Amino acid sequence: MSSSKTVRKLQVVSPVPADIDIANSVEPLHISDIAKELNLSPNHYDLYGKYKAKVLLSVLDELEGSEDGYYVVVGGITPTPLGEGKSTTTVGLCQALGAFLDKKVVTCLRQPSQGPTFGIKGGAAGGGYSQVIPMDEFNLHLTGDIHAITAANNLLAAAIDTRVFHESTQSDKALLNRLCPPNKEGKRSFSDIMFRRLRKLGISKTRPEDLTPQEVKNFARLDIDPESITWRRVMDVNDRFLRKITVGQGPEEKGMVRETGFDISVASEIMAVLALTTSLADMRERLGRMVIGNSKAGDPVTADDLGVGGALTVLMKDAINPTLMQTLEGTPVLVHAGPFANIAHGNSSIVADKIALKLVGPGGLVVTEAGFGADIGTEKFMNIKCRYSHLTPQCAVIVATIRALKMHGGGPEVIAGKPLDRAYITENVALVEAGCVNLAKHVSNTKAYGVNVVVAVNMFSTDTEAELNAVRNAALVSGAYDAVICTHHAHGGKGAVDLGIAVQRACENVTQQLRFLYPLDVSIKEKIEAIARSYGASGVAYSDQAEKQIEMYSRQGFTGLPICMAKTQYSFSHNAAQKGAPSGFVLPIRDVRASIGAGFIYPLVGTMSTMPGLPTRPCFYDIDLDTSTGKVIGLS
């Protein structure tokens, strides 16, 4: 048992109570105690109440010369709509390492969106006896990062429509005069951010009055093509009626009506920027580089062209600091960023991982989670996140369940909210063995990056020994370093001790260097095709729209970016109904879009909803406040 002062012994009961009841039964330690265990002094963090703190980036500067700990990513097999417990496994593994194996460990997780919390999915703090606490704070406002992203995103949206409006009603000279108003002495000057646009245009003049009429036009008139605007407004609520809206209907907008829509806040490119940035200066540049659409001449228009990059950074200046929390067993957690795992890369932040790796030091472990199945989350972790972070993972965990493997073996459809078919709760070894083709494909894909792969079988009470053994054997045959049965949902860290030992050994015995799936200097299509082959596709079919976008991004100079494939998480292929490990299919690319500030191009494989809707009976029916104690009840 760990000698750490913050480690808390859990009193587990069976059957496992509701997540919120478990979370409410444990009194969290003051966050300063968790910080002290990581050797963080009070000047390294800002307190947000008793149980949360923002860790400041200055910690990285102080620890610059110190060695990193081991780096572990948790992915999963292709999931059922119920999810297979990646977050729970990530937390349980860390509780095992910190509370039972006496290791310095930090868990790095994404911040959940409030949309699913009040919608159909519930929260994302882990589950059972492997959770982040306080669970209600984790799943609700936390430290306001998503609200900051919402504010920044919508400021940019307002700036776009406002600029189009003012340009439509003013001459070039009038635009310049209003953009550069005279000071008290009657002199006009450029603001600092305007010099970014002047440099982009190749204009070296420093006084507005020295510009030629053509230079005035080029500088003052962005000439945004309304049809090309890709930037949408966001809010952190599932609201299907905002997927398509019309703006500009007020009488003062002079008929400047256009169709647009809302995305959920975590789908904003600003969230992806936050997750991939490496410093405050880097975030400033990325926010300024974000492309919102094109001019009528076909040139990309950026946030800095609109003069708003600096203001966006001001709104995001506190959000760049990760939030320190704790698990049920008192081990530290850094919660930061929460990009969509479809149209973005679905991983928590680089800065949180970097801080954590320095804090745990040599021999310590940092465990982070990659969204969705390993074909999406782990692939993007390796090819996008690790490229920008220059960090090298030693071990990848792949979470599997008997339930999901039976589905991949040909079992009946699994539908959220409906009772499981009998096939999933009675022994059927043949169905499990047939489904292990999915696990084997994830193992071989992940091993190709040069990491050791450990399979974690997240055990349910209905799983039998014969079924569990079948998975373990299949994992080892497919090349996994180890495969371990885990009961962390029911027993906390104690139920993941074997997994902790296996992960530690896998880290210590890694023999290869990180290998990427594709180099950055090949064409956009070559990168897309490399990823498609990793899914099992025999080729790629591009729509006319996709061809047009690839040609445009190539002409605009964006070919050097990594690819962030947007496809279903329910199959290796584009067809969610194709289970197991399909091969020989042609992957259709419907459209190709770009997050230039975040730093990736995302091809759309099928349709991706960026604004979820609420079901008939949302989770909010169960959520309330116990007004006598002030505790939140009913969160799942």
Side-chain angles (χ1 to χ4, degrees):
M1 171 62 84
S2 172
S3 56
S4 165
K5 291 191 240 0
T6 63
V7 163
R8 182 189 299 106
K9 189 153 175 53
L10 287 177
Q11 302 296 321
V12 305
V13 297
S14 181
V16 179
D19 290 352
I20 189 72
D21 294 337
I22 294 172
N24 284 341
S25 73
V26 173
E27 182 62 34
L29 292 155
H30 196 283
I31 202 64
S32 59
D33 295 334
I34 304 291
K36 198 185 286 183
E37 283 288 307
L38 286 171
N39 296 322
L40 289 168
S41 68
N43 63 336
H44 288 143
Y45 57 86
D46 290 335
L47 290 171
Y48 277 67
K50 291 187 286 189
Y51 308 128
K52 306 185 297 287
K54 280 279 197 182
V55 179
L56 306 177
L57 296 198
S58 54
V59 173
L60 274 178
D61 299 328
E62 285 188 35
L63 297 173
E64 195 178 1
S66 59
E67 276 187 68
D68 288 351
Y70 292 121
Y71 194 26
V72 180
V73 62
V74 177
I77 63 169
T78 305
T80 69
L82 306 177
E84 308 320 304
K86 275 197 318 299
S87 301
T88 308
T89 302
T90 303
V91 175
L93 167 59
C94 291
Q95 290 182 171
L97 288 164
F100 290 87
L101 297 170
D102 207 15
K103 289 285 161 192
K104 267 201 125 170
V105 64
V106 174
T107 315
C108 289
L109 290 176
R110 288 182 292 170
Q111 180 184 348
S113 163
Q114 282 178 190
T117 299
F118 291 113
I120 194 166
K121 196 176 169 207
Y129 286 101
S130 295
Q131 290 189 60
V132 180
I133 55 171
M135 180 232 204
D136 55 335
E137 294 182 31
F138 180 88
N139 281 311
L140 298 174
H141 305 285
L142 200 62
T143 47
D145 293 356
I146 293 180
H147 302 322
I149 287 161
T150 304
N153 183 100
N154 293 344
L155 175 63
L156 179 50
I160 295 163
D161 285 315
T162 298
R163 187 60 174 262
V164 174
F165 170 77
H166 287 304
E167 286 190 20
S168 73
T169 57
Q170 295 176 51
S171 67
D172 297 343
K173 191 170 181 216
L175 278 171
L176 179 70
N177 288 346
R178 285 190 170 91
L179 288 168
C180 304
N183 61 14
K184 286 176 186 169
E185 287 80 47
K187 290 189 174 166
R188 299 182 185 275
S189 62
F190 295 117
S191 63
D192 286 347
I193 199 169
M194 290 175 178
F195 286 107
R196 291 175 179 248
R197 176 152 180 83
L198 290 165
R199 281 195 297 273
K200 179 177 170 180
L201 296 169
I203 300 170
S204 56
K205 294 170 183 173
T206 56
R207 300 191 315 161
E209 56 266 36
D210 292 344
L211 299 186
T212 66
Q214 187 59 47
E215 286 170 340
V216 169
K217 182 184 177 73
N218 293 348
F219 167 73
R221 195 167 291 283
L222 300 182
D223 204 25
I224 297 166
D225 176 4
E227 294 290 310
S228 77
I229 296 171
T230 53
W231 199 265
R232 288 153 61 94
R233 288 159 175 83
V234 299
M235 64 188 298
D236 199 31
V237 174
N238 289 0
D239 191 346
R240 66 178 72 242
F241 281 89
L242 292 178
R243 287 171 182 165
K244 188 178 271 194
I245 63 163
T246 307
V247 294
Q249 296 198 75
E252 296 82 13
E253 278 65 67
K254 300 179 182 167
M256 295 197 60
V257 174
R258 75 176 181 93
E259 265 193 4
T260 178
F262 273 76
D263 295 331
I264 197 157
S265 296
V266 290
S268 171
E269 183 178 348
I270 296 176
M271 177 63 91
V273 166
L274 177 65
L276 288 171
T277 197
T278 52
S279 68
L280 202 52
D282 178 62
M283 184 171 76
R284 169 64 189 89
E285 294 308 310
R286 286 175 183 270
L287 291 171
R289 280 202 305 267
M290 294 188 305
V291 172
I292 59 88
N294 298 323
S295 69
K296 286 173 183 157
D299 297 318
V301 177
T302 67
D304 271 349
D305 288 329
L306 285 154
V308 75
L312 301 182
T313 311
V314 168
L315 285 170
M316 292 293 293
K317 73 179 176 61
D318 296 324
I320 197 172
N321 301 313
T323 302
L324 181 65
M325 294 187 76
Q326 63 193 285
T327 66
L328 284 168
E329 298 189 67
T331 60
V333 180
L334 284 177
V335 186
H336 203 210
F340 241 45
N342 289 112
I343 64 161
H345 63 296
N347 283 256
S348 64
S349 79
I350 285 173
V351 291
D353 291 0
K354 284 194 160 188
I355 289 170
L357 286 163
K358 295 295 182 198
L359 292 176
V360 299
L365 295 99
V366 171
V367 183
T368 189
E369 178 199 348
F372 290 163
D375 55 316
I376 300 181
T378 306
E379 183 269 308
K380 293 173 182 179
F381 172 86
M382 301 291 184
N383 291 304
I384 300 175
K385 188 176 178 182
C386 289
R387 276 193 209 270
Y388 285 123
S389 69
H390 305 295
L391 297 172
T392 301
Q394 288 77 35
C395 173
V397 175
I398 295 178
V399 179
T401 60
I402 299 295
R403 173 180 71 198
L405 292 168
K406 284 181 173 177
M407 179 192 72
H408 288 296
E413 194 179 356
V414 175
I415 300 168
K418 288 197 175 176
L420 280 172
D421 187 275
R422 188 168 161 71
Y424 294 105
I425 50 177
T426 53
E427 183 172 281
N428 191 329
V429 177
L431 207 54
V432 174
E433 287 175 339
C436 280
V437 293
N438 184 270
L439 173 61
K441 176 79 170 153
H442 283 295
V443 170
S444 62
N445 274 9
T446 306
K447 264 188 78 177
Y449 294 109
V451 295
N452 281 333
V453 176
V454 174
V455 172
V457 186
N458 189 11
M459 182 179 168
F460 288 72
S461 58
T462 51
D463 301 341
T464 69
E465 197 172 336
E467 289 174 331
L468 295 166
N469 284 338
V471 181
R472 198 166 182 279
N473 293 339
L476 295 172
V477 166
S478 66
Y481 181 83
D482 206 345
V484 183
I485 314 302
C486 309
T487 60
H488 44 275
H489 183 273
H491 303 121
K494 189 177 178 183
V497 167
D498 289 346
L499 177 61
I501 293 167
V503 164
Q504 193 183 322
R505 281 180 44 243
C507 288
E508 290 165 353
N509 293 295
V510 72
T511 55
Q512 300 179 65
Q513 283 296 306
L514 177 61
R515 293 194 301 269
F516 297 120
L517 194 54
Y518 52 81
L520 286 180
D521 58 3
V522 297
S523 70
I524 291 171
K525 281 189 173 181
E526 284 172 288
K527 291 177 213 174
I528 291 171
E529 283 149 25
I531 298 170
R533 282 194 300 275
S534 78
Y535 299 153
S538 58
V540 177
Y542 300 92
S543 71
D544 290 346
Q545 172 67 8
E547 292 278 10
K548 190 177 100 183
Q549 293 296 104
I550 290 169
E551 189 277 324
M552 183 184 76
Y553 293 135
S554 301
R555 179 170 46 78
Q556 290 177 342
F558 300 136
T559 52
L561 295 174
I563 298 296
C564 186
M565 204 76 93
K567 79 165 183 75
T568 178
Q569 68 269 38
Y570 295 124
S571 173
F572 271 110
S573 76
H574 55 286
N575 178 1
Q578 279 195 293
K579 304 305 180 187
S583 63
F585 57 91
V586 175
L587 194 75
I589 304 297
R590 182 176 64 83
D591 198 357
V592 178
R593 296 180 192 161
S595 290
I596 301 304
F600 53 75
I601 284 172
Y602 61 101
L604 298 179
V605 184
T607 40
M608 291 294 140
S609 174
T610 48
M611 172 53 88
L614 290 171
T616 308
R617 190 194 185 284
C619 292
F620 62 60
Y621 272 89
D622 301 312
I623 297 170
D624 212 326
L625 198 69
D626 182 331
T627 52
S628 58
T629 64
K631 283 190 182 285
V632 173
I633 51 178
L635 265 182
S636 60

